[in-house]
Amino acid sequence: EFMQPSAEVLLPLLANADDDFTTWCGEVRGVCLQAWASLIKVARQGADQKGMAPELAQQLLSTGLRTSFALLEKNKGPETLCAITSGIAECIRSVGTGIVQASELAHIVGIMFETVDKSINRTAKAQHQRAPAADEDDDEDWGQHEEEQLRRNCEEVLAALMEVSADHFLPCLPVCSERIGKWLQSKQNKVLGLYLSCDILLHLKERSQSIWPVFMPQVFKSLEMGAKGPCEEDADARLAAAYAINVAAPYAAFEEAAAEAYRRLAKIVGSPRPKKRDSSGRKALDNAVAALMSLIREKPGSCPPEIQAWPLILARLPLRDDESEAQKSHEKLVDLVMAKDAGLLGPSNSNLASVLSSLAEVQGSKNLCNEATDAKIVKVFQLVPREMLQGFAAGFSEKQQKKIEKMLSG
């Protein structure tokens, strides 16, 4: 009953196109758009619970998109545009499936690509106007960062559309393929192209196979290792490429590329860990470990005989730097333990002590382990014979031993 009054309060703030409001209250608009997305989500959930058509959610989405597109047209500041595009993505995700139709989807895709083009042009113009000998000051760095984030947000809108309306997105694959091919040729936009490729793999799955030849060569190139380390200097590109392998691993169509993926990931995972200050490099390594885990889980028969995937993976666990991938990987790990996966446990359970050490380390850590995984870890330790745990005790840290004792006493 409070939906309509809430929308009436938010809409004037959301739609205010006054220049002074944009200058001084830009953050307010971004918050309002996120709140608008929450209204859409509640309206959709309410309709689903009552078995009704989600008409209110559809109306709220249409109003939010129409208002946001008008603001995109009027504003040129990347910070404001970032807030708007972030809100658009959240609104689309919140409305759920079955709402966004083909014509509306194609219209949104066109607007997002146009917004990206304008951002790229602004960046190119700013770089051209910058004196060659001038040092980059903080304002220029900030502007560049905001433009990059804007383009990433536009890609997030495309990902949201794939998530809620995959069937209607399929006709957009040719234009996506064209954009990806173009972006991958640019050092500045290569990561953007890889991220779009990842989302296409994630949401459209093997139905996107027709455009894999456009981006898969760059995925593998970004995972190449040289004598002195990664050939790809951009850690974000390495991260995105590893994530692409992670997502593609379950697909039958990826079988022919799996062996080479093993070789490239094994070199990365077996290389020295990046220094602590290299947070992007460490996150990229976490994603490489996660991708190798997905490969050995989904395509164990494709692993080259010279590669011992599980020992490489276990030597890098637990993951810590990319918390999202850490949670997913640790859940996969405990599921495999509960399934008594022979590859993971090794001959005569030779890997079990290392596995249990990693699980004990992440147990109770909300950043690295969700509640469901946490409960599974407790169950695993309660199922392991006490005498076996005592035999492994020398390999557990003092902190891990205390956590194990608490799990067993519970």
Side-chain angles (χ1 to χ4, degrees):
E1 62 182 287
F2 297 106
M3 296 290 293
Q4 192 64 35
S6 298
E8 290 175 356
V9 170
L10 288 173
L11 187 57
L13 296 172
L14 182 62
N16 193 326
D18 183 75
D19 290 339
D20 287 340
F21 182 86
T22 299
T23 301
W24 301 107
C25 303
E27 291 185 7
V28 173
R29 180 182 287 116
V31 172
C32 286
L33 197 48
Q34 295 294 329
W36 195 268
S38 296
L39 289 181
I40 294 172
K41 186 174 184 179
V42 170
R44 178 60 193 262
Q45 290 175 341
D48 289 347
Q49 290 172 1
K50 295 177 181 178
M52 300 169 57
E55 294 180 358
L56 179 56
Q58 187 171 18
Q59 292 170 5
L60 288 169
L61 177 66
S62 296
T63 300
L65 291 179
R66 183 172 60 252
T67 304
S68 297
F69 293 156
L71 293 170
L72 282 180
E73 185 66 28
K74 179 177 175 59
N75 289 279
K76 295 183 180 180
E79 186 173 2
T80 299
L81 296 177
C82 274
I84 296 170
T85 49
S86 176
I88 291 173
E90 195 59 35
C91 286
I92 293 171
R93 288 195 192 94
S94 297
V95 81
T97 59
I99 300 293
V100 181
Q101 299 303 309
S103 58
E104 184 179 25
L105 184 147
H107 179 61
I108 299 171
V109 169
I111 291 176
M112 290 304 106
F113 280 135
E114 181 181 356
T115 303
V116 170
D117 287 343
K118 289 179 178 178
S119 173
I120 291 173
N121 290 338
R122 284 194 298 270
T123 298
K125 184 178 180 180
Q127 290 176 340
H128 179 73
Q129 292 176 343
R130 183 183 301 164
D135 292 332
E136 295 183 4
D137 57 31
D138 291 341
D139 289 340
E140 289 173 333
D141 287 344
W142 176 253
Q144 175 69 12
H145 172 76
E146 288 297 308
E147 292 287 7
E148 290 176 357
Q149 185 60 55
L150 169 60
R151 297 193 283 270
R152 184 72 178 93
N153 287 359
C154 290
E155 191 280 322
E156 284 290 332
V157 173
L158 300 179
L161 290 170
M162 296 180 218
E163 182 179 336
V164 304
S165 192
D167 289 344
H168 292 321
F169 198 94
L170 287 174
C172 298
L173 274 180
V175 66
C176 288
S177 174
E178 179 184 348
R179 293 300 180 125
I180 290 171
K182 183 178 180 180
W183 293 342
L184 292 179
Q185 301 304 312
S186 164
K187 181 179 179 181
Q188 183 182 69
N189 299 307
K190 177 170 56 181
V191 174
L192 182 65
L194 288 170
Y195 275 130
L196 180 53
S197 304
C198 288
D199 282 318
I200 287 173
L201 286 169
L202 178 64
H203 298 295
L204 304 185
K205 306 184 186 308
E206 288 178 283
R207 292 191 290 177
S208 66
Q209 189 180 353
S210 63
I211 71 166
W212 288 10
V214 176
F215 58 79
M216 277 300 181
Q218 182 60 57
V219 167
F220 280 84
K221 184 177 181 181
S222 293
L223 296 174
E224 185 176 351
M225 290 287 288
K228 297 182 179 181
C231 297
E232 173 60 70
E233 296 180 359
D234 192 335
D236 289 336
R238 301 199 302 273
L239 186 155
Y243 183 68
I245 301 296
N246 192 341
V247 173
Y251 305 152
F254 191 69
E255 185 74 46
E256 63 183 60
E260 183 58 25
Y262 269 111
R263 294 186 181 95
R264 302 213 174 196
L265 290 170
K267 287 183 179 180
I268 295 173
V269 175
S271 64
R273 182 184 294 275
K275 294 181 180 179
K276 194 170 184 178
R277 64 176 180 271
D278 183 10
S279 60
S280 295
R282 293 171 75 91
K283 287 180 181 179
L285 176 58
D286 274 8
N287 276 264
V289 175
L292 189 57
M293 183 183 292
S294 290
L295 270 180
I296 194 61
R297 185 185 185 191
E298 301 291 344
K299 301 273 189 294
S302 298
C303 184
E306 71 274 14
I307 293 175
Q308 301 298 309
W310 275 118
L312 284 170
I313 294 166
L314 292 173
R316 292 299 189 191
L317 293 181
L319 304 183
R320 299 180 184 278
D321 295 282
D322 188 323
E323 294 180 354
S324 174
E325 284 308 310
Q327 289 195 7
K328 290 184 282 187
S329 295
H330 298 149
E331 183 171 17
K332 289 179 183 178
L333 183 67
V334 74
D335 285 344
L336 289 170
V337 174
M338 297 182 76
K340 298 181 180 179
D341 183 87
L344 167 62
L345 298 178
S348 302
N349 290 333
S350 57
N351 294 334
L352 183 57
S354 177
V355 171
L356 293 177
S357 175
S358 293
L359 293 179
E361 187 68 25
V362 301
Q363 192 272 330
S365 175
K366 294 182 180 180
N367 292 338
L368 306 177
C369 176
N370 61 40
E371 290 185 9
T373 302
D374 200 84
K376 293 176 185 177
I377 292 174
V378 173
K379 185 175 181 180
V380 163
F381 276 95
Q382 291 175 345
L383 290 174
V384 176
R386 296 294 179 95
E387 60 272 16
M388 185 177 289
L389 286 176
Q390 290 174 355
F392 296 153
F396 298 145
S397 68
E398 183 178 350
K399 176 183 176 183
Q400 290 170 0
Q401 291 184 33
K402 289 181 179 179
K403 291 170 77 173
I404 293 170
E405 289 173 4
K406 185 175 180 180
M407 284 187 275
L408 295 178
S409 62

